[in-house]
Coordinates of all heavy atoms in Angstrom, one line a residue:
G1 N -4.1 10.4 -0.6 CA -2.7 10.2 -0.4 C -2.3 8.7 -0.7 O -3.2 7.9 -1.1
V2 N -1.0 8.4 -0.6 CA -0.5 7.2 -0.9 C 0.1 6.6 0.3 O 0.7 7.3 1.1 CB 0.5 7.2 -2.1 CG1 1.2 5.8 -2.3 CG2 -0.2 7.6 -3.3
Y3 N -0.1 5.2 0.5 CA 0.6 4.7 1.7 C 1.2 3.4 1.4 O 0.9 2.7 0.5 CB -0.4 4.5 2.9 CG -1.6 3.7 2.5 CD1 -1.6 2.3 2.8 CD2 -2.7 4.1 1.8 CE1 -2.7 1.5 2.6 CE2 -3.8 3.4 1.6 CZ -3.7 2.0 1.9 OH -4.9 1.2 1.6
V4 N 2.3 3.1 2.2 CA 3.1 1.8 2.0 C 3.1 1.1 3.3 O 3.4 1.7 4.3 CB 4.5 2.0 1.5 CG1 5.2 0.7 1.2 CG2 4.5 3.0 0.3
L5 N 2.7 -0.2 3.3 CA 2.8 -1.0 4.5 C 4.0 -1.9 4.4 O 4.3 -2.4 3.4 CB 1.5 -1.9 4.6 CG 0.2 -1.1 4.5 CD1 -1.0 -2.2 4.6 CD2 0.0 -0.1 5.6
Y6 N 4.8 -1.9 5.5 CA 6.0 -2.7 5.6 C 5.8 -3.8 6.6 O 5.2 -3.7 7.6 CB 7.2 -1.9 6.0 CG 7.4 -0.7 5.1 CD1 6.9 0.5 5.2 CD2 8.3 -0.9 4.0 CE1 7.2 1.6 4.4 CE2 8.6 0.2 3.1 CZ 8.0 1.4 3.3 OH 8.3 2.5 2.5
N7 N 6.5 -5.0 6.3 CA 6.5 -6.0 7.2 C 7.8 -5.9 8.2 O 8.4 -4.9 8.1 CB 6.6 -7.5 6.6 CG 7.9 -7.6 5.8 OD1 8.8 -6.9 5.9 ND2 7.9 -8.6 4.9
R8 N 7.9 -6.8 9.1 CA 9.1 -6.7 10.1 C 10.4 -6.6 9.4 O 11.3 -5.9 10.1 CB 9.1 -8.0 11.0 CG 8.1 -7.8 12.1 CD 8.4 -8.9 13.2 NE 7.2 -9.2 13.9 CZ 6.5 -10.3 13.7 NH1 6.8 -11.2 12.8 NH2 5.4 -10.5 14.4
S9 N 10.6 -7.1 8.2 CA 11.9 -7.0 7.5 C 12.0 -5.7 6.8 O 12.9 -5.5 6.0 CB 12.0 -8.1 6.6 OG 11.7 -9.4 7.2
K10 N 11.1 -4.9 6.9 CA 11.0 -3.5 6.2 C 10.8 -3.7 4.7 O 11.2 -2.8 4.0 CB 12.3 -2.7 6.5 CG 12.6 -2.5 8.0 CD 11.9 -1.2 8.5 CE 12.3 -0.9 9.9 NZ 11.5 -1.5 10.9
D11 N 10.2 -4.8 4.3 CA 9.9 -5.0 2.9 C 8.5 -4.4 2.7 O 7.6 -4.7 3.5 CB 9.9 -6.4 2.5 CG 11.2 -7.1 2.7 OD1 12.3 -6.4 2.3 OD2 11.4 -8.2 3.1
P12 N 8.3 -3.7 1.6 CA 6.9 -3.2 1.3 C 6.0 -4.4 1.0 O 6.4 -5.2 0.1 CB 7.1 -2.3 0.0 CG 8.6 -2.0 -0.1 CD 9.3 -3.2 0.6
I13 N 5.0 -4.5 1.7 CA 4.0 -5.6 1.4 C 2.8 -5.0 0.7 O 2.0 -5.9 0.2 CB 3.6 -6.4 2.7 CG1 3.1 -5.5 3.8 CG2 4.8 -7.1 3.2 CD1 2.4 -6.3 5.0
Y14 N 2.5 -3.8 0.8 CA 1.3 -3.2 0.2 C 1.5 -1.7 -0.1 O 1.9 -1.0 0.7 CB 0.1 -3.4 1.0 CG -1.2 -2.9 0.3 CD1 -1.8 -3.8 -0.7 CD2 -1.9 -1.8 0.6 CE1 -3.0 -3.3 -1.3 CE2 -3.0 -1.4 0.0 CZ -3.6 -2.2 -1.0 OH -4.7 -1.8 -1.6
I15 N 1.1 -1.3 -1.3 CA 1.2 0.1 -1.7 C -0.3 0.4 -2.1 O -0.9 -0.2 -3.0 CB 2.1 0.3 -3.0 CG1 3.6 -0.1 -2.6 CG2 2.1 1.8 -3.3 CD1 4.5 -0.1 -3.7
G16 N -0.9 1.3 -1.3 CA -2.3 1.6 -1.6 C -2.5 3.2 -1.8 O -1.6 3.9 -1.5
E17 N -3.7 3.5 -2.2 CA -4.0 4.9 -2.3 C -5.4 5.2 -1.8 O -6.2 4.2 -1.8 CB -3.8 5.4 -3.7 CG -4.7 4.8 -4.8 CD -6.0 5.5 -5.0 OE1 -6.2 6.7 -4.7 OE2 -6.9 4.7 -5.5
T18 N -5.7 6.3 -1.3 CA -6.9 6.7 -0.8 C -7.2 8.2 -0.9 O -6.2 9.0 -0.9 CB -7.1 6.2 0.7 OG1 -8.4 6.6 1.2 CG2 -6.0 6.8 1.6
N19 N -8.4 8.6 -0.9 CA -8.6 10.0 -0.9 C -8.6 10.6 0.5 O -8.5 11.8 0.7 CB -10.1 10.3 -1.4 CG -10.1 10.0 -2.9 OD1 -9.2 10.2 -3.6 ND2 -11.3 9.6 -3.4
N20 N -8.6 9.7 1.5 CA -8.6 10.2 2.9 C -7.7 9.3 3.8 O -8.2 8.2 4.2 CB -10.0 10.2 3.5 CG -10.1 10.9 4.8 OD1 -9.2 10.9 5.6 ND2 -11.2 11.5 5.0
L21 N -6.5 9.6 3.9 CA -5.5 8.8 4.7 C -6.0 8.5 6.1 O -5.9 7.4 6.6 CB -4.1 9.4 4.7 CG -3.3 9.2 3.4 CD1 -2.1 10.1 3.4 CD2 -2.9 7.8 3.1
E22 N -6.4 9.6 6.8 CA -6.8 9.5 8.2 C -8.0 8.4 8.3 O -8.0 7.6 9.1 CB -7.3 10.8 8.7 CG -6.2 11.9 8.7 CD -5.0 11.6 9.5 OE1 -5.2 10.9 10.6 OE2 -3.9 11.8 9.1
E23 N -9.0 8.6 7.5 CA -10.1 7.7 7.5 C -9.7 6.2 7.2 O -10.1 5.3 7.9 CB -11.2 8.2 6.4 CG -12.5 7.4 6.6 CD -13.5 8.0 5.5 OE1 -13.9 9.1 5.7 OE2 -13.8 7.3 4.5
T24 N -8.9 6.0 6.2 CA -8.5 4.7 5.8 C -7.7 4.0 7.0 O -7.9 2.9 7.3 CB -7.5 4.7 4.6 OG1 -8.4 5.3 3.5 CG2 -7.1 3.4 4.2
F25 N -6.8 4.8 7.6 CA -6.0 4.2 8.7 C -6.8 4.0 9.9 O -6.6 3.1 10.7 CB -4.7 5.1 9.0 CG -3.6 4.7 8.1 CD1 -3.5 5.1 6.8 CD2 -2.6 3.8 8.5 CE1 -2.5 4.7 6.0 CE2 -1.6 3.4 7.7 CZ -1.5 3.8 6.4
G26 N -7.8 4.9 10.2 CA -8.7 4.7 11.3 C -9.5 3.4 11.1 O -9.6 2.6 12.1
K27 N -9.9 3.1 9.9 CA -10.7 1.9 9.5 C -9.7 0.7 9.8 O -10.2 -0.3 10.3 CB -11.2 2.0 8.2 CG -12.2 0.9 7.8 CD -13.1 1.2 6.6 CE -12.2 1.7 5.4 NZ -13.0 1.8 4.2
Y28 N -8.5 0.8 9.3 CA -7.5 -0.3 9.4 C -7.3 -0.7 10.9 O -7.3 -1.8 11.2 CB -6.3 0.0 8.8 CG -6.2 -0.2 7.2 CD1 -5.1 0.3 6.5 CD2 -7.2 -0.8 6.5 CE1 -5.0 0.1 5.1 CE2 -7.1 -1.0 5.2 CZ -6.0 -0.5 4.5 OH -6.0 -0.7 3.1
V29 N -7.1 0.3 11.7 CA -6.9 0.1 13.1 C -8.1 -0.5 13.8 O -8.0 -1.5 14.5 CB -6.5 1.4 13.8 CG1 -6.5 1.3 15.3 CG2 -5.1 1.9 13.3
D30 N -9.2 0.0 13.5 CA -10.5 -0.5 14.1 C -10.8 -1.8 13.7 O -11.5 -2.6 14.5 CB -11.7 0.4 13.7 CG -11.6 1.8 14.4 OD1 -10.8 2.0 15.3 OD2 -12.3 2.7 14.0
T31 N -10.5 -2.3 12.5 CA -10.9 -3.5 11.9 C -9.7 -4.5 11.7 O -10.0 -5.5 11.1 CB -11.6 -3.4 10.5 OG1 -10.7 -2.8 9.6 CG2 -12.8 -2.4 10.7
E32 N -8.6 -4.2 12.3 CA -7.4 -5.0 12.1 C -7.3 -5.3 10.5 O -7.3 -6.4 10.1 CB -7.5 -6.4 12.8 CG -7.4 -6.1 14.3 CD -7.3 -7.5 15.0 OE1 -6.6 -8.4 14.6 OE2 -7.9 -7.6 16.1
F33 N -7.1 -4.2 9.8 CA -6.9 -4.2 8.4 C -8.1 -4.9 7.7 O -7.8 -5.7 6.8 CB -5.5 -4.9 8.0 CG -4.4 -4.0 8.4 CD1 -3.7 -4.2 9.6 CD2 -4.0 -2.9 7.6 CE1 -2.6 -3.3 9.9 CE2 -3.0 -2.1 7.9 CZ -2.3 -2.4 9.1
E34 N -9.3 -4.7 8.2 CA -10.5 -5.3 7.6 C -10.3 -6.8 7.5 O -10.9 -7.4 6.6 CB -10.7 -4.6 6.2 CG -10.9 -3.1 6.3 CD -10.9 -2.4 5.0 OE1 -10.1 -2.7 4.1 OE2 -11.9 -1.6 4.7
G35 N -9.7 -7.4 8.4 CA -9.6 -8.9 8.5 C -8.6 -9.4 7.4 O -8.6 -10.6 7.2
N36 N -7.9 -8.5 6.7 CA -7.0 -9.0 5.7 C -5.7 -9.6 6.3 O -4.9 -8.8 6.8 CB -6.6 -7.8 4.7 CG -5.8 -8.2 3.6 OD1 -4.8 -8.8 3.7 ND2 -6.2 -7.7 2.4
E37 N -5.5 -10.8 6.2 CA -4.4 -11.5 6.8 C -3.0 -11.0 6.2 O -2.0 -10.9 7.1 CB -4.4 -13.0 6.7 CG -5.5 -13.7 7.5 CD -5.5 -15.2 7.5 OE1 -4.4 -15.8 7.2 OE2 -6.6 -15.8 7.7
C38 N -3.0 -10.8 5.0 CA -1.8 -10.3 4.4 C -1.4 -8.9 5.0 O -0.3 -8.7 5.5 CB -1.9 -10.1 2.9 SG -0.4 -9.8 2.0
K39 N -2.3 -8.0 5.0 CA -2.0 -6.6 5.6 C -1.8 -6.7 7.1 O -1.2 -5.7 7.6 CB -3.1 -5.7 5.2 CG -3.2 -5.3 3.7 CD -4.4 -4.4 3.5 CE -4.7 -4.2 2.0 NZ -5.9 -3.5 1.8
Q40 N -2.3 -7.7 7.7 CA -2.1 -7.8 9.2 C -0.6 -8.1 9.6 O -0.2 -7.9 10.7 CB -3.0 -8.9 9.8 CG -4.4 -8.4 9.8 CD -5.3 -9.6 10.3 OE1 -4.9 -10.7 10.5 NE2 -6.6 -9.3 10.4
K41 N 0.2 -8.4 8.6 CA 1.7 -8.5 8.8 C 2.4 -7.2 8.9 O 3.6 -7.2 9.0 CB 2.2 -9.4 7.7 CG 1.7 -10.8 7.7 CD 2.3 -11.6 6.5 CE 1.7 -13.0 6.5 NZ 1.5 -13.5 5.2
T42 N 1.7 -6.1 8.7 CA 2.3 -4.8 8.8 C 2.9 -4.5 10.1 O 2.3 -4.7 11.1 CB 1.2 -3.7 8.5 OG1 0.6 -4.0 7.2 CG2 1.8 -2.3 8.6
S43 N 4.1 -4.1 10.1 CA 4.8 -3.6 11.4 C 5.1 -2.1 11.3 O 5.3 -1.5 12.4 CB 6.0 -4.4 11.7 OG 7.0 -4.1 10.8
S44 N 5.2 -1.6 10.2 CA 5.3 -0.1 10.0 C 4.7 0.4 8.7 O 4.4 -0.4 7.9 CB 6.8 0.3 10.1 OG 7.5 -0.3 9.0
Y45 N 4.6 1.7 8.6 CA 3.9 2.2 7.4 C 4.5 3.6 7.1 O 5.1 4.2 8.0 CB 2.4 2.2 7.5 CG 1.9 3.1 8.6 CD1 1.7 4.5 8.3 CD2 1.6 2.6 9.9 CE1 1.2 5.3 9.4 CE2 1.2 3.4 10.9 CZ 1.0 4.8 10.6 OH 0.5 5.6 11.6
Q46 N 4.2 4.0 5.9 CA 4.6 5.4 5.5 C 3.5 6.0 4.7 O 2.8 5.3 4.0 CB 5.8 5.3 4.6 CG 6.4 6.6 4.1 CD 7.7 6.3 3.2 OE1 7.9 5.1 2.8 NE2 8.4 7.3 2.9
R47 N 3.2 7.2 5.0 CA 2.1 7.9 4.3 C 2.6 9.1 3.6 O 3.4 9.8 4.1 CB 1.0 8.3 5.3 CG 0.4 7.2 6.1 CD -0.8 7.5 6.9 NE -0.5 8.4 7.9 CZ -1.4 8.8 8.8 NH1 -2.6 8.4 8.8 NH2 -1.0 9.6 9.8
V48 N 2.1 9.3 2.4 CA 2.5 10.5 1.6 C 1.3 11.2 1.0 O 0.4 10.6 0.4 CB 3.4 10.0 0.4 CG1 4.0 11.3 -0.3 CG2 4.6 9.1 0.8
F49 N 1.2 12.5 1.2 CA 0.1 13.3 0.7 C 0.5 13.8 -0.7 O 1.5 14.5 -0.8 CB -0.2 14.5 1.5 CG -0.8 14.0 2.9 CD1 0.0 13.7 4.0 CD2 -2.2 13.8 3.1 CE1 -0.5 13.3 5.2 CE2 -2.7 13.3 4.3 CZ -1.8 13.1 5.4
V50 N -0.2 13.4 -1.7 CA 0.2 13.8 -3.1 C -1.0 14.2 -3.9 O -2.2 13.9 -3.6 CB 0.9 12.6 -3.8 CG1 2.3 12.4 -3.3 CG2 0.1 11.4 -3.9
E51 N -0.8 15.0 -5.0 CA -1.8 15.5 -5.8 C -2.6 14.4 -6.5 O -3.8 14.4 -6.6 CB -1.2 16.5 -6.8 CG -0.7 17.7 -6.3 CD -1.8 18.7 -5.9 OE1 -2.7 18.9 -6.8 OE2 -1.8 19.3 -4.9
N52 N -1.8 13.5 -7.1 CA -2.5 12.4 -8.0 C -2.2 11.1 -7.3 O -1.2 10.3 -7.8 CB -1.9 12.4 -9.4 CG -2.2 13.7 -10.1 OD1 -3.3 14.2 -10.0 ND2 -1.2 14.3 -10.7
P53 N -2.9 10.6 -6.3 CA -2.5 9.4 -5.6 C -2.6 8.2 -6.4 O -1.6 7.3 -6.3 CB -3.6 9.3 -4.5 CG -4.6 10.3 -4.7 CD -4.0 11.4 -5.6
K54 N -3.6 8.0 -7.3 CA -3.6 6.8 -8.1 C -2.4 6.7 -9.0 O -1.8 5.6 -9.1 CB -4.9 6.8 -9.0 CG -5.2 5.5 -9.7 CD -5.7 4.5 -8.6 CE -5.9 3.1 -9.2 NZ -5.9 2.1 -8.2
E55 N -2.0 7.8 -9.6 CA -0.8 7.7 -10.5 C 0.4 7.4 -9.7 O 1.3 6.7 -10.1 CB -0.7 9.2 -11.1 CG -0.2 9.3 -12.5 CD -0.3 10.7 -13.0 OE1 -1.4 11.1 -13.4 OE2 0.7 11.4 -12.9
F56 N 0.6 8.1 -8.5 CA 1.8 7.9 -7.7 C 1.8 6.4 -7.2 O 2.9 5.8 -7.1 CB 1.7 8.9 -6.5 CG 3.0 8.9 -5.7 CD1 4.2 9.4 -6.3 CD2 3.1 8.5 -4.4 CE1 5.4 9.4 -5.6 CE2 4.2 8.6 -3.7 CZ 5.4 9.0 -4.3
Q57 N 0.7 5.9 -6.8 CA 0.6 4.5 -6.4 C 1.1 3.5 -7.5 O 1.9 2.7 -7.2 CB -0.9 4.1 -6.0 CG -1.0 2.6 -5.6 CD -2.4 2.1 -5.8 OE1 -3.2 2.6 -6.6 NE2 -2.8 1.1 -5.0
L58 N 0.6 3.7 -8.7 CA 1.0 2.9 -9.8 C 2.5 3.0 -10.1 O 3.1 2.1 -10.4 CB 0.2 3.2 -11.0 CG -1.4 2.8 -10.9 CD1 -2.1 3.3 -12.2 CD2 -1.5 1.3 -10.8
Q59 N 3.0 4.3 -10.0 CA 4.4 4.5 -10.2 C 5.3 3.8 -9.1 O 6.3 3.1 -9.5 CB 4.7 6.0 -10.1 CG 6.2 6.3 -10.4 CD 6.6 5.9 -11.8 OE1 6.0 6.2 -12.8 NE2 7.6 5.1 -11.9
L60 N 4.9 3.8 -7.9 CA 5.6 3.1 -6.8 C 5.6 1.6 -7.0 O 6.6 0.9 -6.9 CB 5.0 3.5 -5.4 CG 5.3 4.8 -4.9 CD1 4.6 5.0 -3.5 CD2 6.8 5.1 -4.7
I61 N 4.4 1.1 -7.4 CA 4.2 -0.4 -7.7 C 5.1 -0.8 -8.9 O 5.9 -1.8 -8.8 CB 2.8 -0.8 -7.9 CG1 2.0 -0.6 -6.7 CG2 2.7 -2.2 -8.5 CD1 0.5 -0.7 -6.8
E62 N 5.1 0.0 -9.9 CA 6.0 -0.2 -11.1 C 7.5 -0.2 -10.7 O 8.2 -1.0 -11.1 CB 5.7 0.9 -12.2 CG 6.1 0.6 -13.5 CD 5.5 -0.7 -14.1 OE1 4.4 -1.0 -13.8 OE2 6.2 -1.4 -14.9
D63 N 7.9 0.8 -9.9 CA 9.3 0.8 -9.4 C 9.6 -0.4 -8.7 O 10.7 -1.0 -8.9 CB 9.5 2.1 -8.6 CG 9.4 3.4 -9.4 OD1 9.4 3.4 -10.6 OD2 9.3 4.5 -8.7
Y64 N 8.8 -0.8 -7.8 CA 9.0 -2.0 -6.9 C 9.2 -3.2 -7.8 O 10.1 -4.0 -7.7 CB 7.9 -2.1 -5.9 CG 8.2 -3.3 -5.0 CD1 8.9 -3.2 -3.8 CD2 7.6 -4.5 -5.3 CE1 9.2 -4.3 -3.0 CE2 7.8 -5.7 -4.4 CZ 8.6 -5.5 -3.3 OH 8.9 -6.6 -2.5
K65 N 8.3 -3.3 -8.8 CA 8.2 -4.4 -9.7 C 9.6 -4.5 -10.5 O 10.1 -5.6 -10.7 CB 7.0 -4.4 -10.6 CG 6.7 -5.6 -11.3 CD 5.4 -5.5 -12.1 CE 5.2 -6.4 -13.2 NZ 4.1 -6.2 -14.0
N66 N 10.0 -3.3 -11.1 CA 11.2 -3.2 -11.8 C 12.5 -3.7 -10.9 O 13.4 -4.2 -11.5 CB 11.4 -1.8 -12.4 CG 10.4 -1.5 -13.4 OD1 9.8 -2.4 -14.1 ND2 10.2 -0.2 -13.7
Q67 N 12.4 -3.3 -9.7 CA 13.5 -3.5 -8.8 C 13.6 -5.0 -8.4 O 14.7 -5.6 -8.2 CB 13.5 -2.7 -7.5 CG 13.8 -1.3 -7.8 CD 13.6 -0.4 -6.5 OE1 13.3 -0.9 -5.5 NE2 13.7 0.9 -6.7
T68 N 12.4 -5.6 -8.1 CA 12.4 -7.0 -7.5 C 11.9 -8.0 -8.4 O 12.0 -9.3 -8.2 CB 11.5 -6.9 -6.3 OG1 10.1 -6.7 -6.7 CG2 11.9 -5.9 -5.2
G69 N 11.1 -7.6 -9.5 CA 10.5 -8.6 -10.4 C 9.2 -9.1 -9.9 O 8.6 -9.9 -10.5
N70 N 8.7 -8.6 -8.8 CA 7.5 -9.0 -8.1 C 6.7 -7.8 -7.8 O 7.2 -6.7 -7.8 CB 7.8 -9.8 -6.9 CG 8.5 -11.1 -7.1 OD1 8.1 -11.9 -7.9 ND2 9.6 -11.2 -6.4
L71 N 5.4 -8.0 -7.4 CA 4.6 -7.0 -6.8 C 4.7 -7.1 -5.3 O 5.1 -8.2 -4.9 CB 3.1 -7.3 -7.2 CG 2.7 -7.1 -8.7 CD1 1.3 -7.5 -8.9 CD2 2.9 -5.6 -9.0
P72 N 4.5 -6.1 -4.6 CA 4.4 -6.3 -3.1 C 3.4 -7.4 -2.8 O 2.4 -7.5 -3.4 CB 4.0 -4.9 -2.6 CG 4.4 -3.9 -3.7 CD 4.3 -4.7 -4.9
S73 N 3.7 -8.2 -1.8 CA 2.9 -9.4 -1.6 C 1.4 -9.2 -1.5 O 0.7 -10.0 -2.0 CB 3.5 -10.2 -0.4 OG 3.4 -9.4 0.8
C74 N 1.0 -8.2 -0.8 CA -0.4 -7.9 -0.6 C -1.0 -7.3 -1.9 O -2.2 -7.5 -2.1 CB -0.7 -7.1 0.6 SG -0.2 -7.8 2.2
N75 N -0.2 -6.6 -2.7 CA -0.7 -6.1 -4.0 C -1.0 -7.2 -4.9 O -1.9 -7.1 -5.8 CB 0.3 -5.1 -4.5 CG 0.2 -3.7 -3.9 OD1 1.1 -3.4 -3.1 ND2 -0.8 -2.9 -4.2
S76 N -0.2 -8.3 -4.8 CA -0.4 -9.3 -5.8 C -1.8 -10.0 -5.7 O -2.2 -10.7 -6.6 CB 0.7 -10.4 -5.7 OG 0.7 -10.9 -4.5
E77 N -2.4 -9.8 -4.6 CA -3.8 -10.3 -4.3 C -4.8 -9.6 -5.1 O -5.9 -10.1 -5.3 CB -4.1 -10.3 -2.9 CG -3.2 -11.3 -2.0 CD -3.7 -11.2 -0.6 OE1 -4.5 -10.4 -0.2 OE2 -3.1 -12.0 0.2
I78 N -4.5 -8.3 -5.5 CA -5.5 -7.5 -6.2 C -5.0 -7.3 -7.6 O -3.9 -7.4 -7.8 CB -5.7 -6.2 -5.5 CG1 -4.4 -5.3 -5.4 CG2 -6.4 -6.4 -4.2 CD1 -4.6 -3.9 -5.0
K79 N -5.9 -7.0 -8.5 CA -5.5 -6.7 -9.8 C -5.0 -5.3 -9.9 O -5.6 -4.3 -9.5 CB -6.7 -6.9 -10.8 CG -6.3 -6.8 -12.2 CD -7.5 -7.0 -13.1 CE -7.1 -6.9 -14.6 NZ -8.1 -6.3 -15.4
V80 N -3.7 -5.2 -10.4 CA -3.1 -3.9 -10.5 C -3.0 -3.6 -12.0 O -2.4 -4.3 -12.7 CB -1.7 -3.9 -9.9 CG1 -1.0 -2.6 -10.2 CG2 -1.8 -4.2 -8.4
E81 N -3.6 -2.4 -12.4 CA -3.6 -2.0 -13.7 C -2.4 -1.2 -14.0 O -2.1 -0.2 -13.3 CB -4.8 -1.2 -14.1 CG -6.1 -2.1 -14.1 CD -7.4 -1.3 -14.4 OE1 -7.2 -0.2 -15.1 OE2 -8.4 -1.6 -13.9
T82 N -1.6 -1.6 -15.0 CA -0.4 -0.8 -15.4 C -0.7 -0.2 -16.8 O -1.4 -0.8 -17.6 CB 0.8 -1.6 -15.4 OG1 0.6 -2.8 -16.2 CG2 1.3 -2.0 -14.0
H83 N -0.2 0.9 -17.0 CA -0.4 1.6 -18.3 C 0.4 1.1 -19.4 O 1.6 0.8 -19.3 CB -0.2 3.1 -18.1 CG -1.0 3.7 -17.1 ND1 -2.2 4.3 -17.4 CD2 -0.8 3.9 -15.8 CE1 -2.8 4.7 -16.2 NE2 -1.9 4.4 -15.2

């Protein structure tokens, strides 16, 4: 599935994808987002179960970039491949 992490201002700070949403979120909770300071700013999140998570993640990132001119703040820390 695909998930979006939001900060207190309800701005998307990270758009991610995983094969197992439950496992990923369990790990995030147990490890405080694996010690990632950027993702620790999360105050809410949204999860979506989709057929092609990687494709959907890239589409959401692309949409966000087109709307704002930027990547979500935590996504900018990782290399995002666009087609």
Side-chain angles (χ1 to χ4, degrees):
V2 174
Y3 58 97
V4 183
L5 306 178
Y6 298 93
N7 63 15
R8 281 196 202 100
S9 309
K10 303 274 187 274
D11 297 319
I13 57 172
Y14 185 75
I15 300 170
E17 63 87 26
T18 176
N19 291 329
N20 189 328
L21 283 170
E22 298 301 323
E23 189 179 289
T24 298
F25 274 79
K27 192 165 49 173
Y28 278 171
V29 169
D30 293 345
T31 63
E32 293 187 40
F33 291 96
E34 300 171 315
N36 181 312
E37 286 184 27
C38 190
K39 291 180 190 171
Q40 286 172 359
K41 295 177 182 145
T42 300
S43 73
S44 62
Y45 63 87
Q46 182 179 12
R47 300 188 292 186
V48 187
F49 295 89
V50 289
E51 291 282 317
N52 301 314
K54 191 74 189 158
E55 214 172 279
F56 191 64
Q57 175 202 26
L58 292 174
Q59 184 60 56
L60 288 177
I61 291 171
E62 195 62 32
D63 291 349
Y64 182 86
K65 194 173 160 188
N66 290 339
Q67 287 171 7
T68 66
N70 298 305
L71 293 171
S73 58
C74 300
N75 282 102
S76 61
E77 295 180 356
I78 59 167
K79 188 173 177 218
V80 177
E81 292 179 27
T82 51
H83 301 271

